[in-house]
């Protein structure tokens, strides 16, 4: 049975997306990836080139998200974008990559697949220190937060509305909503323990979309707007949950060392790497990369501090079996779990109760 398990792990890819974070990191899964690590760098280049030429109507897209009105469609805009979506490159080697990039020529409709998702960091970019930003992420549930028409709604990445509440975000409660003109769209991680929405990114603030702005500008815009709004970090009658923006830093070795050794007010899940020039693009992109804390030293090839974050947990060795057992092959969007789990949460550090249960059931699991 052990030989069969090794054979299966050497040939299975549990996702159609390159380096999808729903599967273990290719270097840690003990199987040969179907795709060369060199392709991740090439796809980064293609994505950057594509976003320079695409023309998508983000103003109408943000308005429809806020209003929940999907009856009218920008058919002309979508057809024009699709016609100009084909990037340059050798046809045979780049056919699948071209198809992947062409999908970005159409914005998703309704609330599913609206979040920009990461890939595993497989190939470390040579310009990591100069062109990338690092964000430390808490354990939680990925959420699309939309404040509009006097109410605030939270959606899973699969488009299910899991909560509706008042907030002091622009448009988020009936006291600060200017008849639908003010609306805000955020990419968040929700911590039920802290009753906090940690803001990863901003797509629209007070009716001004920033989808097609660089990461560096979006982070600056978010920070400045958060400073202007009062009461976002407090739980009040008009603000049912805290809203806290996550800090970003450069990707120098010194900054990464400090990020790993620092103490946080939340439980750390992992690290997101954002390319400074990437636009906010719904769906998976190689311009946003993900690593668990204990992977940083091995993948980045650098010395890391000896601390709780860099300690490799025992459950890391069982990631492949966990994915093969509990995850199914999916394309773009898979049905949301009832508890609203997001695609990285199954790799989060388990609680003491879960760890005990895992040790108790490890010998009774069905081997693949």
């Amino acid at each position: 049975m052990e030989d069969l398990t090794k054979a299966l792990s050497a040939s299975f890819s549990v996702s159609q997306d390159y380096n999808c974070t729903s599967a273990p990191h290719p270097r840690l899964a003990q199987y040969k990836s179907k795709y060369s690590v060199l392709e991740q760098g090439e796809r980064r280049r293609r994505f950057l080139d594509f976003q320079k030429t695409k023309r998508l109507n983000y103003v109408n897209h943000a308005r429809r998200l806020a209003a929940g009105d999907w009856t009218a469609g920008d058919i002309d805009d979508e057809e024009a974008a699709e016609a100009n979506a084909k990037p340059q490159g050798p046809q045979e080697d780049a056919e699948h990559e071209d198809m992947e990039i062409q999908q970005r020529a159409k914005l998703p409709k309704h609330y599913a697949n609206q979040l920009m998702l990461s890939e595993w960091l497989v190939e470390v970019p040579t310009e990591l220190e100069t062109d990338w930003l690092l964000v430390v992420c808490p354990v939680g549930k990925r959420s699309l937060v939309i404040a509009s028409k006097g109410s605030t709604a939270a959606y899973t990445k699969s488009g299910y509305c899991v909560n509706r509440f008042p907030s002091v975000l622009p448009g988020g409660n009936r006291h600060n909503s200017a008849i639908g003109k003010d609306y805000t769209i955020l990419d968040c991680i929700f911590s039920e323990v802290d009753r906090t929405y940690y803001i990863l990114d901003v797509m629209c603030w007070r009716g001004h979309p920033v989808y097609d702005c660089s990461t560096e500008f979006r982070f600056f815009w978010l920070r400045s707007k958060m400073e202007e709004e009062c009461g976002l970090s407090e739980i009040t009658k008009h603000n049912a949950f805290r809203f806290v923006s996550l800090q970003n830093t450069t990707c120098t070795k010194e900054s990464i060392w400090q990020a790993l050794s620092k103490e946080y007010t939340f439980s750390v899940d992992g690290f997101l790497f954002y390319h400074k020039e990437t636009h906010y693009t719904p769906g998976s992109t190689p311009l946003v990369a993900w690593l668990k804390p204990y992977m940083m030293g091995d993948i980045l090839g650098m010395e890391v501090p000896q601390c709780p974050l860099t300690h490799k947990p025992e459950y890391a060795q069982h990631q492949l079996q966990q994915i093969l057992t509990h995850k199914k092959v999916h394309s773009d969007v898979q049905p949301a779990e009832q508890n609203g789990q997001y695609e990285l949460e199954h790799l989060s550090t388990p609680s003491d109760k879960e760890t005990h249960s895992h040790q108790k059931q490890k010998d009774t699991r069905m081997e693949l």
Side-chain angles (χ1 to χ4, degrees):
M1 184 60 72
E2 292 182 359
D3 294 338
L4 177 59
T5 302
K6 293 180 180 179
L8 290 174
S9 66
S11 60
F12 270 12
S13 175
V14 298
S15 172
Q16 296 179 7
D17 295 328
Y18 297 115
N19 305 315
C20 178
T21 53
S22 295
H25 193 287
R27 296 194 193 177
L28 301 180
Q30 296 181 356
Y31 68 92
K32 183 178 180 181
S33 177
K34 177 181 177 182
Y35 308 101
S36 169
V37 295
L38 296 178
E39 292 183 355
Q40 188 175 49
E42 173 63 17
R43 287 186 298 108
R44 290 185 190 127
R45 185 189 66 78
R46 289 172 178 267
F47 271 69
L48 286 172
D49 290 342
F50 172 68
Q51 72 180 17
K52 295 176 183 178
T53 59
K54 68 176 181 179
R55 296 292 184 268
L56 300 178
N57 196 335
Y58 286 114
V59 176
N60 283 342
H61 182 67
R63 186 182 298 120
R64 286 170 185 161
L65 278 175
D69 180 12
W70 304 96
T71 55
D74 290 334
I75 300 177
D76 294 338
D77 292 341
E78 291 181 353
E79 288 181 349
E82 185 176 11
N84 297 323
K86 296 182 180 180
Q88 301 295 324
Q91 182 176 359
E92 293 183 359
D93 295 338
E95 181 178 355
H96 198 91
E97 290 92 333
D98 291 352
M99 292 176 60
E100 176 192 16
I101 296 175
Q102 286 180 43
Q103 294 175 357
R104 310 309 168 96
K106 290 187 178 182
L107 291 167
K109 295 185 177 181
H110 305 289
Y111 296 102
N113 202 30
Q114 294 288 346
L115 298 174
M116 180 166 66
L117 306 178
S118 60
E119 293 185 2
W120 282 114
L121 180 61
V122 177
E123 179 190 1
V124 181
T126 56
E127 69 282 2
L128 181 67
E129 293 191 5
T130 57
D131 293 354
W132 292 72
L133 296 172
L134 179 71
V135 178
V136 183
C137 300
V139 173
K141 300 176 182 179
R142 193 73 176 270
S143 299
L144 171 69
V145 174
I146 300 177
S148 175
K149 298 188 293 187
S151 179
T152 305
Y155 299 85
T156 67
K157 73 184 184 73
S158 298
Y160 289 83
C161 182
V162 292
N163 203 355
R164 192 174 291 275
F165 53 91
S167 75
V168 294
L169 291 169
N173 68 74
R174 57 189 179 89
H175 297 285
N176 70 353
S177 180
I179 318 178
K181 294 183 179 180
D182 285 348
Y183 48 88
T184 301
I185 305 174
L186 301 173
D187 181 352
C188 301
I189 296 176
F190 175 60
S191 172
E192 187 174 3
V193 175
D194 301 334
R195 290 183 59 83
T196 300
Y197 282 92
Y198 292 98
I199 306 175
L200 270 176
D201 212 332
V202 57
M203 296 87 96
C204 183
W205 189 277
R206 204 178 291 276
H208 298 285
V210 289
Y211 281 91
D212 55 352
C213 297
S214 67
T215 299
E216 204 166 22
F217 175 81
R218 294 197 313 274
F219 285 178
F220 164 77
W221 180 265
L222 174 62
R223 183 172 63 253
S224 61
K225 295 304 176 184
M226 291 289 290
E227 293 173 354
E228 295 175 3
E229 299 292 334
C230 299
L232 279 172
S233 60
E234 301 174 358
I235 297 179
T236 62
K237 179 181 179 181
H238 300 303
N239 198 60
F241 298 93
R242 299 182 182 90
F243 284 88
V244 178
S245 60
L246 293 171
Q247 301 300 309
N248 63 85
T249 184
T250 58
C251 293
T252 62
K253 292 184 179 180
E254 293 77 12
S255 298
I256 294 174
W257 180 286
Q258 293 175 5
L260 286 169
S261 57
K262 183 179 178 181
E263 293 185 1
Y264 297 91
T265 58
F266 51 77
S267 298
V268 176
D269 190 6
F271 293 84
L272 280 174
F273 298 81
Y274 285 82
H275 194 285
K276 290 182 179 180
E277 297 301 321
T278 184
H279 297 173
Y280 193 96
T281 308
S284 178
T285 171
L287 296 174
V288 181
W290 168 261
L291 282 180
K292 301 292 286 184
Y294 62 85
M295 301 176 183
M296 298 287 275
D298 293 334
I299 303 301
L300 299 182
M302 60 172 285
E303 185 178 355
V304 294
Q306 297 298 319
C307 59
L309 284 183
T310 58
H311 175 71
K312 190 171 183 179
E314 183 179 355
Y315 75 88
Q317 304 299 328
H318 306 287
Q319 284 184 350
L320 179 59
Q321 182 177 0
Q322 179 184 3
I323 298 302
L324 293 177
T325 304
H326 298 288
K327 306 292 285 187
K328 296 181 180 179
V329 175
H330 60 279
S331 53
D332 290 334
V333 182
Q334 68 180 72
E337 300 285 349
Q338 292 183 354
N339 59 7
Q341 287 184 334
Y342 70 107
E343 90 278 4
L344 301 179
E345 190 174 3
H346 65 279
L347 293 176
S348 302
T349 304
S351 63
D352 294 339
K353 182 179 180 180
E354 291 172 338
T355 303
H356 177 73
S357 176
H358 169 76
Q359 293 293 337
K360 184 177 181 180
Q361 298 178 6
K362 184 171 62 175
D363 296 333
T364 62
R365 285 182 178 176
M366 178 183 68
E367 296 185 22
L368 296 178

